[in-house]
């Protein structure tokens, strides 16, 4: 019976305590912690000189970031450390220790006063505060209630304002699921999930020496005190600090930044980004290993849990870059390693193929210089077209490989990395890098040269194909051909001038699109607003909205400007395929019509040369179609895919398709050399000359030894011949003439020596 009464009494007291603090959201609704905090000893600490008390000692220690602080803190200070942790003391230390924010611009005065008046509020010790400070007690209590009071009207006013601004920007920046995001904001405002309003934002706003909380409330005491929420919604700096959630949502979910994922520029650099990211992961892994080994050697007398907690803090501090903290949390390292390994292997293959292109192009240039007076104008233009395209192709990849040589890092990992695949994480690191104003000019030159190399090769070949077909058709019909070299060269030059001018003009048009995208990316990636005292405070929401409005034009047009070089390739490829099919079909028809009437014409040398050139052009064009087939397929597929994950998956395979694009510049010089008789004869002649020079050097190196051996043999042979002659003279009759019939061996030997001497001279 007594035990039952005791239990009922305890339950009644606990319910009373819970009811007393139920108007606060966690963690300040835990009554037993509040009663442990509100003691006479702590009254002296919090309501006295805080800077000279134990609070200042704990505020500057990492203990506030440890979850099991009770094991390292005296029992009498458990409630103090809990209160400091509840009011985000760990985050405040991180703000002050951040290298990008000068500590001279911030002071802990606001933090100390907030601790003091918050303690007086929740412990109901306002009577211990001097009468002259009751104004500040009321003001700081308004801030505390805005953060932690249930159904606080000031917090609701701020949340409504944020919800309206977010909804407007989500619509203008093409962020989907606006209603769901607004519902999430309401949940965070009511304390159901992670709170939207945090003490860190108040600290950043009011801890600056040039803009204190006292200055904020002294501007208009009646307004700022009675309606704290309305005053905060009008404060530009504080509202900008609440834009972090908006920025992350636009950066990760908006359709405007995802336009970059569909560009050929990003497809080309995906494998390079995989290598860069893996090198950073390797650096983090090496730093972790070094930190663990040093920590194990230094601290041997601690428990495993203590080691794990302190080791985690050291790794975060030493190994995780401040501008890319999330790289330390990435999982699935094997997949990143595999993609980086495949990319490195692909680059080695491309480097070898690029060397082959250089060799073949130089060889073709050398043979053209030897035989240009023996070639027709169309053949010379054919060779020049191949050489120009190959030179543009090589310079394009030289620009591209510059990033591979430098160890510059790409963009940071986004905050929502947990929900994304490694491929999408790699692709998103390129968004801020590729379109930065300093980098884009270099990438634009590379992209223009690459597009010009492919489109120029194809367009020049098609032009020459039509030209040769016209000549063949007129010759088969028996008509005269009046085509001067100047007219043929002029038309060919106009084709290349049109290509270069169109690519340059389109690249200039792209600059406008990229500048707007770069401004949007820069605004989204800079994170927190500039809190320097010299910085002009402007609304970050209006700036983001203006960038989204300017960038939305490209979304409305389907990102045509951003994908211009891809569209150039597709348009030229489509037109060339149509012309190619029509030309080949017409040529077959013309040949069938003239097979009977002009059969003897086909056996003539000029016509055979034209037919051979025509077939060579067809073979070269077919080689081009095969080389760009995989690349064009991925570029078209990316254009129609909407999911970011699917785009990233396609980007992974683009490197392999690009390797196939090397087939055209590698094979074209070989095709034209082997299919052109003059070039083929000149190559055979040069090869014979090189072999003869090599053999002559070999003979001259062994000439001394061979001459010595030949002299000895010659002496022996002459002695033997003399003996044979004397013997035959003694055996034969004297009246018979001596002829070479009887001296067959000696005469044949002499003739052999004479013929050998004649061949070596030649």
């Amino acid at each position: 019976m007594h035990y039952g009464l005791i239990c009922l009494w305890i339950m009644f007291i606990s319910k009373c305590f819970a009811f007393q603090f139920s108007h606060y959201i966690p963690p300040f609704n835990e009554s037993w912690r509040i009663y442990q905090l509100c003691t006479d000893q702590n009254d002296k600490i919090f309501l006295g000189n805080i800077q000279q008390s134990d609070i200042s000692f704990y505020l500057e220690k990492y203990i506030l970031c440890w979850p099991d602080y009770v094991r390292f803190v005296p029992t009498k200070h458990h409630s103090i450390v809990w209160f400091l942790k509840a009011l985000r003391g760990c985050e405040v230390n991180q703000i002050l220790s951040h290298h990008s924010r000068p500590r001279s611009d911030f002071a802990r005065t606001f933090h100390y006063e907030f601790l003091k008046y918050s303690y007086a509020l929740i412990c109901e010790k306002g009577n211990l505060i001097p009468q002259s400070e009751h104004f500040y007690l009321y003001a700081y209590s308004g801030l505390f209630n805005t953060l932690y009071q249930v159904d606080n009207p000031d917090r609701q006013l701020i949340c409504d304002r944020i919800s309206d601004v977010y909804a407007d920007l989500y619509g203008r920046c093409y962020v989907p699921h606006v209603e769901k995001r607004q519902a999430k904001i309401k949940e965070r405002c009511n304390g159901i999930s992670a709170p939207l309003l945090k003490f860190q934002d108040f600290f950043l706003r009011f801890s600056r020496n040039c803009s204190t909380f006292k200055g904020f409330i002294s501007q208009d005491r009646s307004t700022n005190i009675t309606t704290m929420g309305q005053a905060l919604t009008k404060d530009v700096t504080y509202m900008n600090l609440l834009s972090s959630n908006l920025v992350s949502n636009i950066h990760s979910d908006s359709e405007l930044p995802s336009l970059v994922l569909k560009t050929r520029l990003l497809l080309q650099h995906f494998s390079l980004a995989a290598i860069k990211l893996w090198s950073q992961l390797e650096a983090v892994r090496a730093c972790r290993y070094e930190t663990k080994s040093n920590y194990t050697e230094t601290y041997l007398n601690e428990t495993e849990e203590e080691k794990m907690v302190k080791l985690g803090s050291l790794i975060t501090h030493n190994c995780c870059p401040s501008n890319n903290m999330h790289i330390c949390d990435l999982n699935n390292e094997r997949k990143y390693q595999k993609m980086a390994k495949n990319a490195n292997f692909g680059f080695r293959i491309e480097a070898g193929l690029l060397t082959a292109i250089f060799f073949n192009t130089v060889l073709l240039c050398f043979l053209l210089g030897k035989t240009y007076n023996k070639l027709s104008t169309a053949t010379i233009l054919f060779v020049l077209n191949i050489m120009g395209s190959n030179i543009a192709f090589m310079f394009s990849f030289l620009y591209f490989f510059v990033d591979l040589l430098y160890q510059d890092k790409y963009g940071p990992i986004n905050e929502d990395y947990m929900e994304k695949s490694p491929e999408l994480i790699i692709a998103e690191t390129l968004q801020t890098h590729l379109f930065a104003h300093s980098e884009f000019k270099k990438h634009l030159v590379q992209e223009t040269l690459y597009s010009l190399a492919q489109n120029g090769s194809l367009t020049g070949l098609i032009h020459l194909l039509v030209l040769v077909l016209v000549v063949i058709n007129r010759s088969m019909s028996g008509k005269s051909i009046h085509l001067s070299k100047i007219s043929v060269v002029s038309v060919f030059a106009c084709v290349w001038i049109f290509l270069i001018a169109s690519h340059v003009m389109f690249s200039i048009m792209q600059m406008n699109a990229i500048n707007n995208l770069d401004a949007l990316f820069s605004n989204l990636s800079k994170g927190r607003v500039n809190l320097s005292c010299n910085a002009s405070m402007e609304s970050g929401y209006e700036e983001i909205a203006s960038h989204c409005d300017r960038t939305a034009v490209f979304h409305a047009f389907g990102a045509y400007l951003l994908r211009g070089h891809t569209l150039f390739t597709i348009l030229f490829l489509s037109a060339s395929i149509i012309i190619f099919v029509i030309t080949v079909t017409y040529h077959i028809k013309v040949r069938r019509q003239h097979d009977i009437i002009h059969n003897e014409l086909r056996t003539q040398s000029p016509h055979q040369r034209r037919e051979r050139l025509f077939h060579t052009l067809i073979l070269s064009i077919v080689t081009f179609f095969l080389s760009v087939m995989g690349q064009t397929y991925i570029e078209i597929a990316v254009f129609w895919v909407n999911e970011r994950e699917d785009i990233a998956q396609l980007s992974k395979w683009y490197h392999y398709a690009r390797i196939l694009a090397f087939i055209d510049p590698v094979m074209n010089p070989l095709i034209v050399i082997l299919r052109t008789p003059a070039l083929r004869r000149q190559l055979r002649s040069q090869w014979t000359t090189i072999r003869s020079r090599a053999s002559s050097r070999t003979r001259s190196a062994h000439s001394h030894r061979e001459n010595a051996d030949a002299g000895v043999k010659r002496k022996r042979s002459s002695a033997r011949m003399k003996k044979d002659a004397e013997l035959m003279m003694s055996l034969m009759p004297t009246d018979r003439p001596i002829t070479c019939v009887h001296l067959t061996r000696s005469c044949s030997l002499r003739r052999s020596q004479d013929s050998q001497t004649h061949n070596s001279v030649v």
Side-chain angles (χ1 to χ4, degrees):
M1 174 115 184
H2 295 288
Y3 290 108
L5 291 174
I6 293 174
C7 292
L8 289 173
W9 177 253
I10 293 174
M11 291 175 61
F12 176 75
I13 294 297
S14 62
K15 287 183 179 179
C16 291
F17 288 164
F19 177 77
Q20 183 177 356
F21 296 99
S22 62
H23 58 284
Y24 290 125
I25 62 177
F28 293 102
N29 60 347
E30 301 176 7
S31 304
W32 63 277
R33 289 191 179 275
I34 301 299
Y35 279 100
Q36 286 182 352
L37 175 68
C38 300
T39 62
D40 295 337
Q41 183 180 2
N42 290 340
D43 290 347
K44 298 178 182 179
I45 295 175
F46 282 99
L47 301 181
N49 189 358
I50 295 181
Q51 301 183 24
Q52 302 298 327
S53 63
D54 296 333
I55 295 179
S56 61
F57 171 79
Y58 288 115
L59 280 177
E60 298 178 359
K61 302 297 179 182
Y62 282 107
I63 193 69
L64 297 180
C65 301
W66 295 356
D68 56 343
Y69 64 91
V70 294
R71 299 178 54 196
F72 312 102
V73 176
T75 305
K76 63 179 180 178
H77 292 160
H78 284 180
S79 59
I80 295 177
V81 176
W82 171 84
F83 188 61
L84 298 180
K85 283 175 61 66
L87 291 179
R88 304 299 178 183
C90 174
E91 287 77 0
V92 170
N93 287 336
Q94 292 176 353
I95 292 173
L96 293 176
S97 62
H98 201 281
H99 64 87
S100 64
R101 300 187 181 96
R103 298 196 64 168
S104 58
D105 292 347
F106 291 88
R108 285 189 179 270
T109 305
F110 171 77
H111 195 199
Y112 290 145
E113 292 181 351
F114 188 82
L115 290 172
K116 174 182 178 180
Y117 295 118
S118 298
Y119 176 85
L121 174 65
I122 62 175
C123 292
E124 298 180 356
K125 299 299 178 78
N127 57 332
L128 300 180
I129 300 295
Q131 186 70 27
S132 59
E133 299 181 14
H134 281 187
F135 170 75
Y136 297 110
L137 172 63
Y138 185 79
Y140 280 97
S141 298
L143 287 182
F144 184 88
N145 289 331
T146 301
L147 290 173
Y148 300 108
Q149 190 180 41
V150 176
D151 298 331
N152 182 265
D154 291 330
R155 183 173 69 249
Q156 191 61 43
L157 189 63
I158 297 173
C159 289
D160 291 341
R161 177 58 180 165
I162 292 176
S163 179
D164 295 338
V165 173
Y166 276 28
D168 177 60
L169 285 179
Y170 284 154
R172 296 166 71 176
C173 296
Y174 290 88
V175 179
H177 312 301
V178 177
E179 295 180 356
K180 293 182 179 179
R181 298 178 189 278
Q182 285 183 303
K184 188 67 176 178
I185 291 176
K186 292 181 180 179
E187 291 180 1
R188 297 183 64 182
C189 283
N190 296 329
I192 299 175
S193 57
L196 183 64
L197 307 185
K198 301 176 182 179
F199 175 72
Q200 302 95 286
D201 299 325
F202 283 139
F203 180 82
L204 288 170
R205 170 61 183 89
F206 299 119
S207 293
R208 295 179 300 162
N209 296 323
C210 57
S211 181
T212 62
F213 183 67
K214 291 183 178 179
F216 173 75
I217 60 177
S218 62
Q219 294 176 2
D220 190 352
R221 290 199 172 194
S222 60
T223 303
N224 293 347
I225 294 300
T226 56
T227 57
M228 181 65 68
Q230 185 176 358
L232 290 173
T233 55
K234 294 180 180 179
D235 189 72
V236 176
T237 305
Y238 178 71
M239 292 301 292
N240 287 343
L241 290 170
L242 299 179
S243 64
S244 59
N245 187 63
L246 171 73
V247 168
S248 62
N249 287 336
I250 294 177
H251 197 284
S252 59
D253 298 332
S254 174
E255 298 178 8
L256 298 183
S258 64
L259 294 176
V260 180
L261 297 178
K262 296 186 176 184
T263 59
R264 181 197 281 180
L265 197 58
L266 187 136
L267 294 175
Q268 284 192 350
H269 285 76
F270 180 86
S271 54
L272 195 58
I275 296 175
K276 298 282 188 180
L277 185 58
W278 173 243
S279 64
Q280 296 180 61
L281 289 174
E282 280 189 317
V284 171
R285 187 165 62 175
C287 179
R288 280 178 175 170
Y289 178 79
E290 183 180 359
T291 305
K292 287 181 181 179
S293 60
N294 295 338
Y295 184 83
T296 304
E297 296 174 359
T298 306
Y299 303 96
L300 300 175
N301 299 324
E302 295 181 347
T303 62
E304 290 297 328
E305 294 184 1
E306 294 174 352
K307 288 182 180 179
M308 292 298 294
V309 172
K310 293 184 179 180
L311 186 60
S313 300
L314 286 174
I315 290 175
T316 302
H317 184 268
N318 297 335
C319 304
C320 301
S322 58
N323 59 348
N324 195 10
M325 292 291 292
H326 301 296
I327 195 172
C328 295
D329 303 326
L330 290 180
N331 299 319
N332 204 353
E333 289 188 355
R334 289 186 178 180
K335 198 163 187 179
Y336 291 102
Q337 184 181 13
K338 183 179 179 181
M339 286 190 287
K341 184 178 179 180
N342 293 338
N344 274 317
F345 181 70
F347 280 125
R348 292 191 185 99
I349 295 176
E350 288 180 335
L353 293 174
L354 204 64
T355 305
I357 293 173
F358 176 77
F359 176 79
N360 292 346
T361 306
V362 172
L363 177 62
L364 183 61
C365 180
F366 173 76
L367 296 177
L368 178 64
K370 292 286 185 179
T371 59
Y372 70 93
N373 55 350
K374 302 177 182 178
L375 299 175
S376 64
T377 304
T379 305
I380 294 175
L381 294 178
F382 182 24
V383 174
L384 292 177
N385 184 78
I386 293 174
M387 290 172 54
S389 301
N390 284 10
I391 291 172
F393 192 90
M394 287 187 292
F395 274 106
S396 169
F397 275 88
L398 288 178
Y399 272 101
F400 181 74
F401 286 154
V402 167
D403 279 351
L404 186 63
L405 299 177
Y406 292 119
Q407 298 298 323
D408 297 339
K409 298 177 182 179
Y410 286 175
I413 307 298
N414 290 338
E415 296 179 359
D416 54 347
Y417 66 94
M418 294 291 292
E419 304 172 356
K420 298 177 180 178
S421 64
E423 290 82 3
L424 184 55
I425 291 174
I426 292 173
E428 288 184 344
T429 60
L430 285 166
Q431 289 181 335
T432 56
H433 171 78
L434 290 180
F435 296 93
H437 187 70
S438 58
E439 294 287 336
F440 181 71
K441 292 181 179 179
K442 178 181 66 177
H443 299 314
L444 186 62
V445 171
Q446 182 267 329
E447 175 71 8
T448 303
L449 288 174
Y450 185 72
S451 179
L452 191 62
Q454 292 188 333
N455 297 332
S457 174
L458 179 61
T459 308
L461 291 174
I462 292 294
H463 164 258
L464 293 174
L465 183 70
V466 175
L467 175 65
V468 175
L469 177 65
V470 171
V471 174
I472 292 175
N473 184 31
R474 295 183 68 86
S475 64
M476 294 287 287
S477 303
K479 299 178 181 179
S480 60
I481 304 172
H482 301 286
L483 291 176
S484 64
K485 291 184 178 181
I486 297 177
S487 61
V488 173
V489 173
S490 300
V491 173
F492 182 80
C494 289
V495 171
W496 269 92
I497 290 173
F498 168 75
L499 279 173
I500 295 174
S502 61
H503 280 72
V504 171
M505 289 177 62
F506 193 85
S507 298
I508 294 173
M509 292 173 62
Q510 274 190 311
M511 288 299 297
N512 182 29
I514 296 311
N515 287 334
N516 291 323
L517 262 181
D518 177 44
L520 177 61
F521 282 135
S522 300
N523 194 282
L524 296 178
S525 61
K526 68 183 180 182
R528 295 287 187 176
V529 296
N530 187 4
L531 296 172
S532 176
C533 293
N534 299 326
S536 59
M537 288 303 165
E538 299 177 355
S539 176
Y541 301 97
E542 295 179 1
E543 186 177 359
I544 294 174
S546 62
H547 291 315
C548 286
D549 291 339
R550 288 196 293 266
T551 313
V553 177
F554 311 115
H555 179 272
F557 285 96
Y560 292 140
L561 281 178
L562 295 179
R563 296 175 48 78
H565 293 299
T566 298
L567 293 178
F568 263 123
T569 303
I570 294 174
L571 290 175
F572 283 122
L573 187 62
S574 302
S576 300
I577 290 174
I578 295 172
I579 297 174
F580 175 76
V581 173
I582 295 174
T583 303
V584 173
T585 305
Y586 182 71
H587 177 64
I588 295 173
K589 182 180 179 180
V590 170
R591 287 191 60 183
R592 287 177 179 176
Q593 291 176 354
H594 296 84
D595 275 343
I596 301 175
I597 302 175
H598 300 286
N599 190 31
E600 70 282 357
L601 184 62
R602 295 176 57 190
T603 60
Q604 296 180 6
S605 179
H607 186 78
Q608 288 181 348
R609 288 197 300 269
R610 293 164 188 162
E611 286 281 349
R612 187 182 296 110
L613 178 58
F614 184 81
H615 295 155
T616 304
L617 288 169
I618 291 177
L619 182 60
S620 182
I621 293 172
V622 171
T623 304
F624 178 85
F625 288 158
L626 292 177
S627 66
V628 301
M629 184 183 300
Q631 166 190 315
T632 307
Y633 169 77
I634 293 179
E635 291 175 359
I636 295 175
V638 166
F639 186 77
W640 296 109
V641 171
N642 293 323
E643 294 295 331
R644 298 159 65 89
E645 291 287 351
D646 296 336
I647 296 174
Q649 291 294 334
L650 287 171
S651 303
K652 181 177 64 175
W653 300 105
Y654 188 82
H655 194 180
Y656 303 101
R658 191 180 65 200
I659 293 176
L660 296 177
F662 281 77
I663 295 176
D664 179 65
V666 170
M667 296 300 298
N668 264 339
L670 300 179
I671 291 173
V672 72
I673 290 173
L674 297 178
R675 294 281 301 176
T676 306
L679 296 176
R680 188 170 63 248
R681 286 194 298 268
Q682 183 66 30
L683 178 63
R684 190 184 299 114
S685 173
Q686 295 296 327
W687 176 249
T688 304
T689 304
I690 293 173
R691 288 186 61 185
S692 63
R693 289 178 180 175
S695 61
S696 64
R697 292 193 189 99
T698 304
R699 286 197 301 270
S700 63
H702 301 284
S703 61
H704 181 71
R705 185 177 62 185
E706 290 178 354
N707 291 334
D709 295 340
V712 174
K713 290 180 180 179
R714 196 177 297 113
K715 289 179 181 179
R716 292 177 181 176
S717 176
S718 62
R720 190 181 301 110
M721 287 188 339
K722 186 177 181 180
K723 290 181 180 181
D724 292 342
E726 292 176 354
L727 180 61
M728 292 185 68
M729 289 287 292
S730 63
L731 295 177
M732 292 182 64
T734 56
D735 57 345
R736 191 170 179 177
I738 301 173
T739 63
C740 283
V741 176
H742 300 90
L743 300 177
T744 306
R745 182 179 177 186
S746 62
C747 291
S748 63
L749 191 64
R750 191 178 300 112
R751 284 197 302 268
S752 172
Q753 292 175 357
D754 294 340
S755 63
Q756 288 177 3
T757 305
H758 176 73
N759 289 338
S760 65
V761 170
V762 172

